[in-house]
Amino acid sequence: MEEKLESQFREVLEFEVGAIEKKEKGLFEISGYPHYENVISNWYSFFMNPDEDHGFKDLFYRSLRELVEENYSGASKVCIEREFVTSKGNRIDLLVHEGYTGIENEFVNPVVIENKIYASPYNDFGDYSASVNATKDSSKICIVLSLNKIHESNLLEFRSFTHEQYLGIVRKN
């Protein structure tokens, strides 16, 4: 029995492994944050802001709106808020809007974004939605951006889109 076990171990140890292709490190791996939602939300916040130094103007915001609205006509102003605190004390990853009315939690064309990488959609989507209101002449959009499409019955009024779908529209535009 012992001899057979030794033979099996030798076989494993002598097994030749083919060449392993080395994967290049990306910016996220180098920084030590390969899949943190906050990092991705910070990137989206930067690129959706037309006033930042990236030179893309409103490309990312316009593409986000086109993800949901086919005939989006553009905005004169874009405001981005990270970790917007809800009425229950939860935090919305990104709240993007075209203006604040001065009335508590009322915004012009707000987009509520919950960003998911590997986490499941365990959030209180009802609280997220109830904490942000649109003006009577504008519309509220609630979306989850994730690696894979999420079954929308779990998301209340949130709609599920993948990061790939969103960035595909950015590339197209």
Side-chain angles (χ1 to χ4, degrees):
M1 178 80 149
E2 197 173 304
E3 224 172 85
K4 186 176 181 182
L5 186 58
E6 184 179 335
S7 171
Q8 289 172 335
F9 271 114
R10 278 194 198 284
E11 195 175 311
V12 169
L13 293 172
E14 292 171 357
F15 183 79
E16 287 190 38
V17 178
I20 297 174
E21 212 172 289
K22 189 174 179 180
K23 183 181 178 237
E24 280 187 43
K25 288 183 181 178
L27 207 53
F28 295 113
E29 287 82 14
I30 292 167
S31 64
Y33 296 97
H35 62 266
Y36 287 98
E37 292 167 4
N38 279 333
V39 174
I40 303 301
S41 293
N42 288 339
W43 279 58
Y44 282 151
S45 177
F46 173 78
F47 286 110
M48 281 186 214
N49 186 342
D51 297 327
E52 284 288 359
D53 296 336
H54 47 63
F56 291 119
K57 298 180 182 170
D58 72 341
L59 171 67
F60 279 78
Y61 178 66
R62 186 171 23 93
S63 298
L64 177 72
R65 297 295 297 217
E66 288 177 16
L67 186 64
V68 179
E69 298 175 288
E70 206 170 292
N71 299 318
Y72 179 69
S73 59
S76 58
K77 177 181 180 182
V78 177
C79 305
I80 298 145
E81 299 186 38
R82 286 278 291 113
E83 299 296 319
F84 180 83
V85 180
T86 68
S87 56
K88 291 183 178 178
N90 293 311
R91 296 182 180 274
I92 296 171
D93 291 333
L94 283 165
L95 171 61
V96 187
H97 57 87
E98 297 172 18
Y100 178 64
T101 64
I103 299 171
E104 187 176 358
N105 296 339
E106 185 176 89
F107 303 93
V108 178
N109 290 322
V111 182
V112 176
I113 302 170
E114 179 57 28
N115 182 18
K116 293 290 179 196
I117 302 299
Y118 293 111
S120 60
Y122 57 83
N123 309 73
D124 186 347
F125 292 107
D127 175 43
Y128 286 18
S129 179
S131 297
V132 175
N133 299 306
T135 61
K136 74 174 189 166
D137 296 331
S138 72
S139 62
K140 175 173 63 175
I141 296 171
C142 299
I143 64 173
V144 175
L145 285 174
S146 58
L147 292 178
N148 300 302
K149 196 137 170 80
I150 298 169
H151 193 271
E152 293 182 10
S153 67
N154 302 331
L155 304 177
L156 304 174
E157 72 179 277
F158 277 71
R159 295 182 57 196
S160 173
F161 296 97
T162 65
H163 295 282
E164 184 177 27
Q165 285 176 297
Y166 171 46
L167 295 174
I169 292 175
V170 170
R171 281 190 296 276
K172 176 188 71 99
N173 288 338

